[in-house]
Amino acid sequence: MIDIGELVKRMQLLNLQARIEENDAALDLARGLWEPREGELLPIATNTARRAAYSRALKQMQSLGPRVMETKLGAALGQITWSGKLDGIDEALAALDLRALAANLLTGLIVTGFAGGYVYTDERGRARITRLGGYVEPYVDPDDVDHVLGLYQAWQTVQAQPNGAHVGRWSARVYDWSERDDGRCDVRQWRYLTNPWELGNLPTEEFDLPTPRYALRNVSQEGWPVGEILGAMPQFRALWATEARLVMSEELSAFPMMRALGDVDTEDFTVGPSEVVTGDKDADVGWMEPGNLDELRKQRELRIERLTADLSLPSSWATTQAVSAESSRERNVPFRQNAENYARDATRLLTDLVGNDYLAALGLTRQVEVVVLPTLAYDEGRRIESVISLRREGLLPLEVAAAAIQPFFPTWTDEALNGWVAEQTAVVRVEDFDLPEQGGNGEA
């Protein structure tokens, strides 16, 4: 059984609160809601003018998180299908919004590196699928970080106080299957905690649940999940700071600034072709040239290139510049491989969660594989060319070649495909042709 005292020491020593805050920041950034705290990335404004400039800059800033998520989800989540055509199973799976479930699970994998859930039966006897929300991390064997013994989950709620104030309180769960092998786990739950690691008292509730199904991606040495967005947060922050400096510098460069030396009357000064600036004989009046923003713009491009490489994004995801087809194919190989990896992770998780546990909860004993296919649009031309080439060389049967190309043409149904293949491969006898009789001299 998981030692709660040891778990509490581990969480305090390794700063659980900081990891939760960083996870929340990554999720906010992926949704486009993240803003840095004052002084986190830029110097604290010390006067009214600087605070106003900073406030104007914030209103013009948005992270690239939503665009990254749209690009990655769009590539990994193409079609969802399942093996077999069986009565009852087809209806059960068709009634689920598998695409929304897959998108939410993939979002967790991409952002935080963890996605999971379990199937249970509610009080009305209906099978339900619930995803694990909040902050979740695995509890691993200290001697073998690849051996997961359970999960720790924490989430925060707002509680109303008698005086009318509202304060945040934590709830925490420990899912423990270290001593069970029956497909279920022991759950201990604590409520109304001031801090998420305060598990020293007796739990508020104890019960058991089906063992959660989960997927981890890019775990740290201690066994924590580290999603791509979470791992790239320093680069996202650096890009945000560069763009903020660029926005504020553009504002300063957009207006002429007068430079006055000596005794110059500037109180009633206005800009115009017939205006006169007065001052003593030693006064000097001139205009300051706007700063050169090219360096900041180059810095922004370099940071975007770094993000593109770190997150395995397509070469044109954040630019409108045209890229040659050959160069695009070569540079997008990591992007396609990344999408295929996420599709495989989603396939395994949906098969366990939906194809096994959910169908079992419905009383259906047959298990099916729920397959997530990555989007083919990024690879369409290359794949079609490969299929045609293999077919011409006689290395690919007609029915296999046609089935490989079918997904690119949504209106080409299975019935139409099978009918066309049957026509193309039909055996024709000479007797089927109505040929004219030939004479001895070759004339009819």
Side-chain angles (χ1 to χ4, degrees):
M1 179 173 287
I2 293 177
D3 185 342
I4 296 299
E6 183 66 28
L7 176 62
V8 171
K9 293 177 183 177
R10 179 174 181 263
M11 290 188 295
Q12 291 177 328
L13 180 64
L14 300 176
N15 202 349
L16 173 69
Q17 186 69 47
R19 295 202 303 279
I20 292 177
E21 291 176 358
E22 190 71 351
N23 260 43
D24 289 344
L27 288 168
D28 286 343
L29 184 138
R31 301 185 185 107
L33 304 176
W34 176 80
E35 286 185 0
R37 297 184 298 273
E38 185 178 10
E40 180 180 0
L41 299 180
L42 297 175
I44 295 177
T46 57
N47 57 50
T48 303
R50 289 186 178 181
R51 281 193 293 270
Y54 183 73
S55 177
R56 288 192 297 271
L58 277 180
K59 294 178 181 179
Q60 303 173 61
M61 300 291 298
Q62 183 184 16
S63 76
L64 290 174
R67 187 184 297 185
V68 172
M69 294 303 300
E70 183 179 357
T71 302
K72 284 189 167 291
L73 282 176
L77 188 54
Q79 295 179 327
I80 300 178
T81 184
W82 53 87
S83 59
K85 300 293 182 182
L86 302 171
D87 293 337
I89 291 181
D90 288 349
E91 290 78 1
L93 296 185
L96 292 175
D97 191 349
L98 285 177
R99 190 169 189 85
L101 177 60
N104 288 328
L105 292 173
L106 279 171
T107 296
L109 274 179
I110 295 170
V111 178
T112 67
F114 176 90
Y118 59 88
V119 177
Y120 70 100
T121 303
D122 64 15
E123 61 276 5
R124 297 184 181 180
R126 298 174 300 182
R128 305 293 296 269
I129 299 174
T130 183
R131 290 185 300 108
L132 294 178
Y135 175 80
V136 186
E137 69 176 36
Y139 180 84
V140 299
D141 186 337
D143 298 324
D144 182 5
V145 295
D146 294 325
H147 184 203
V148 178
L149 303 174
L151 296 173
Y152 165 81
Q153 179 187 22
W155 64 96
Q156 192 174 31
T157 55
V158 177
Q159 301 290 331
Q161 301 299 302
N163 60 1
H166 291 78
V167 296
R169 288 291 181 261
W170 289 91
S171 297
R173 277 185 182 181
V174 173
Y175 301 82
D176 183 359
W177 56 82
S178 60
E179 298 181 357
R180 298 187 65 165
D181 57 2
D182 58 350
R184 299 184 69 84
C185 65
D186 298 313
V187 180
R188 284 167 282 181
Q189 180 165 301
W190 292 259
R191 294 183 180 274
Y192 314 116
L193 303 176
T194 304
N195 295 299
W197 61 81
E198 295 177 347
L199 310 182
N201 297 324
L202 293 175
T204 309
E205 301 172 78
E206 294 189 54
F207 49 93
D208 74 337
L209 284 172
T211 301
R213 304 286 194 167
Y214 64 92
L216 297 172
R217 190 168 180 84
N218 301 331
V219 295
S220 69
Q221 185 175 358
E222 294 80 7
W224 309 324
V226 182
E228 285 190 289
I229 300 296
L230 182 61
M233 283 299 289
Q235 288 301 319
F236 277 110
R237 288 189 172 97
L239 176 61
W240 192 97
T242 297
E243 290 188 336
R245 296 186 189 101
L246 185 58
V247 168
M248 289 188 287
S249 298
E250 284 176 342
E251 179 181 285
L252 292 175
S253 300
F255 301 96
M257 297 184 65
M258 186 178 70
R259 174 180 54 80
L261 302 176
D263 187 8
V264 180
D265 182 12
T266 59
E267 291 186 5
D268 299 322
F269 174 73
T270 56
V271 177
S274 59
E275 299 295 335
V276 177
V277 180
T278 60
D280 60 23
K281 63 178 182 179
D282 296 324
D284 181 26
V285 177
W287 295 100
M288 297 178 63
E289 293 291 333
N292 186 355
L293 303 181
D294 288 343
E295 291 300 321
L296 279 175
R297 293 187 179 117
K298 289 179 181 178
Q299 184 72 9
R300 180 182 183 275
E301 292 176 2
L302 290 174
R303 295 199 185 282
I304 288 180
E305 288 182 6
R306 172 70 184 274
L307 271 177
T308 300
D310 288 354
L311 298 177
S312 300
L313 290 164
S315 55
S316 59
W317 75 282
T319 182
T320 57
Q321 297 179 358
V323 182
S324 68
E326 185 65 27
S327 174
S328 177
R329 279 196 295 268
E330 292 178 359
R331 296 175 63 182
N332 289 348
V333 169
F335 170 64
R336 293 196 299 270
Q337 293 173 338
N338 182 265
E340 291 171 357
N341 289 336
Y342 278 120
R344 280 194 292 270
D345 291 340
T347 293
R348 182 178 61 81
L349 187 52
L350 284 178
T351 296
D352 290 341
L353 192 60
V354 178
N356 295 342
D357 297 352
Y358 181 71
L359 293 181
L362 293 177
L364 300 171
T365 58
R366 175 69 182 271
Q367 298 177 349
V368 300
E369 183 182 16
V370 181
V371 181
V372 176
L373 299 173
T375 300
L376 302 177
Y378 298 97
D379 241 357
E380 186 173 312
R382 185 178 62 85
R383 292 196 180 191
I384 291 179
E385 290 175 3
S386 298
V387 170
I388 292 175
S389 176
L390 291 172
R391 174 59 189 161
R392 283 176 178 169
E393 297 295 329
L395 300 176
L396 206 62
L398 179 62
E399 56 270 22
V400 175
I405 293 178
Q406 183 191 16
F408 298 107
F409 305 95
T411 57
W412 200 3
T413 64
D414 291 342
E415 292 78 8
L417 171 67
N418 294 332
W420 180 79
V421 171
E423 290 177 1
Q424 301 300 313
T425 58
V427 177
V428 180
R429 300 176 301 173
V430 176
E431 291 81 2
D432 295 334
F433 291 93
D434 187 13
L435 298 175
E437 296 183 1
Q438 297 292 327
N441 58 359
E443 295 180 358

